[in-house]
Amino acid sequence: MTRSIITRRAAVGGFALLALSGCGFLPGEKKDDKTQDGDDTTEDDRTDDGDDDTSDGGGENGEDDTDTAEETEDDETEDEDDADQAGTAAGAPGAEVPIGESFTDPDIGDEFTLLSARRDNPTKIDAGYVEDGGEVVYLQCEFTPTGEWGGALSTQEFYIVVDGVEDRAKSGLNSEISDAGLTPMDVPARADGASGPLWMGFTAERRQETYRAAYIRPATDVIGEDRTLPEFRYDFEIPAA
């Protein structure tokens, strides 16, 4: 079972929260990012001098150049149609949807407000997942600790559920969150008090209309008090775009 250790700031005069590894959740299988090379297509220059008369419509190998051009045009049209259909299924890039839920950890007193989510975010880091039908989702929240406890809030306490598997938020997406003009969650310390709106990113291996998600603080040992705080879990939903 996943556990952590926490201290009371009043008793110790400092703060510490050490997350320990465990096997409480089944992580999703991670695939290597995929890259796609662009087409490197060139056209041969053609001349209209008398030696290369092609008025009969024959190509270099006796093929009809007109038919070849029509087939190429049809292929391009099909590719455009496929791209349009994919864009319609995914929704507008970066579309923001409101959540507007608040909850409190009953044992530690931390307060959270889930403000909104942004769907279908562009990504280079996890482009391979998106190409395979996945999606990058951003979640915006505010964090208000009581000041009594030490430690820091971590993205590893937030999960998105895809096909019954709970996957943690990924701090590796923080650079792209910053590039989007948003403030990423970067382990805010409880000692610093309430945070402003912070964002975290999830990579879903399969895009869904809505997602189940959760905040999960693992069972926590209190140093110096010989007691363990039970696990706390809050489930919520990330709406459709």
Side-chain angles (χ1 to χ4, degrees):
M1 178 182 296
T2 302
R3 301 174 75 87
S4 62
I5 302 172
I6 196 169
T7 62
R8 286 184 185 271
R9 296 184 63 241
V12 179
F15 58 91
L17 176 62
L18 305 176
L20 304 181
S21 62
C23 55
F25 308 103
L26 175 64
E29 180 182 357
K30 301 303 181 186
K31 297 189 285 257
D32 293 335
D33 287 347
K34 299 180 179 178
T35 58
Q36 183 175 352
D37 296 332
D39 292 337
D40 187 14
T41 304
T42 59
E43 292 186 7
D44 295 332
D45 293 334
R46 293 181 172 83
T47 60
D48 293 330
D49 57 25
D51 294 336
D52 293 328
D53 187 3
T54 56
S55 60
D56 60 354
E60 190 175 298
N61 297 319
E63 296 177 350
D64 191 326
D65 290 341
T66 303
D67 291 343
T68 302
E70 290 176 351
E71 290 174 1
T72 301
E73 187 173 328
D74 290 341
D75 290 341
E76 291 176 352
T77 302
E78 290 178 2
D79 291 341
E80 291 175 358
D81 291 342
D82 290 342
D84 291 342
Q85 291 173 3
T88 301
E96 189 166 351
V97 292
I99 298 178
E101 293 185 33
S102 298
F103 64 93
T104 301
D105 183 325
D107 297 296
I108 298 178
D110 291 345
E111 297 180 1
F112 300 85
T113 300
L114 305 169
L115 299 171
S116 64
R118 282 178 59 164
R119 304 285 305 265
D120 300 297
N121 294 282
T123 179
K124 293 181 179 178
I125 294 172
D126 280 345
Y129 293 103
V130 175
E131 290 170 4
D132 286 343
E135 174 189 10
V136 170
V137 179
Y138 294 165
L139 174 67
Q140 179 185 205
C141 77
E142 291 180 333
F143 172 53
T144 306
T146 63
E148 180 182 1
W149 300 91
L153 180 65
S154 170
T155 56
Q156 294 196 17
E157 295 169 347
F158 288 86
Y159 294 79
I160 194 170
V161 183
V162 180
D163 295 333
V165 178
E166 295 173 327
D167 281 329
R168 288 185 173 99
K170 298 179 64 174
S171 59
L173 294 169
N174 282 357
S175 60
E176 292 186 336
I177 293 174
S178 295
D179 291 343
L182 309 174
T183 303
M185 179 182 290
D186 189 18
V187 197
R190 289 182 172 89
D192 292 339
S195 73
L198 302 174
W199 293 82
M200 69 193 80
F202 302 86
T203 299
E205 295 188 23
R206 186 177 66 82
R207 190 184 189 281
Q208 299 179 186
E209 184 176 359
T210 62
Y211 293 95
R212 290 190 298 115
Y215 167 77
I216 305 174
R217 175 186 54 75
T220 304
D221 295 329
V222 181
I223 295 177
E225 297 188 20
D226 193 26
R227 69 186 178 108
T228 298
L229 305 179
E231 176 186 285
F232 169 67
R233 176 182 183 124
Y234 181 82
D235 293 283
F236 58 97
E237 184 178 273
I238 295 177

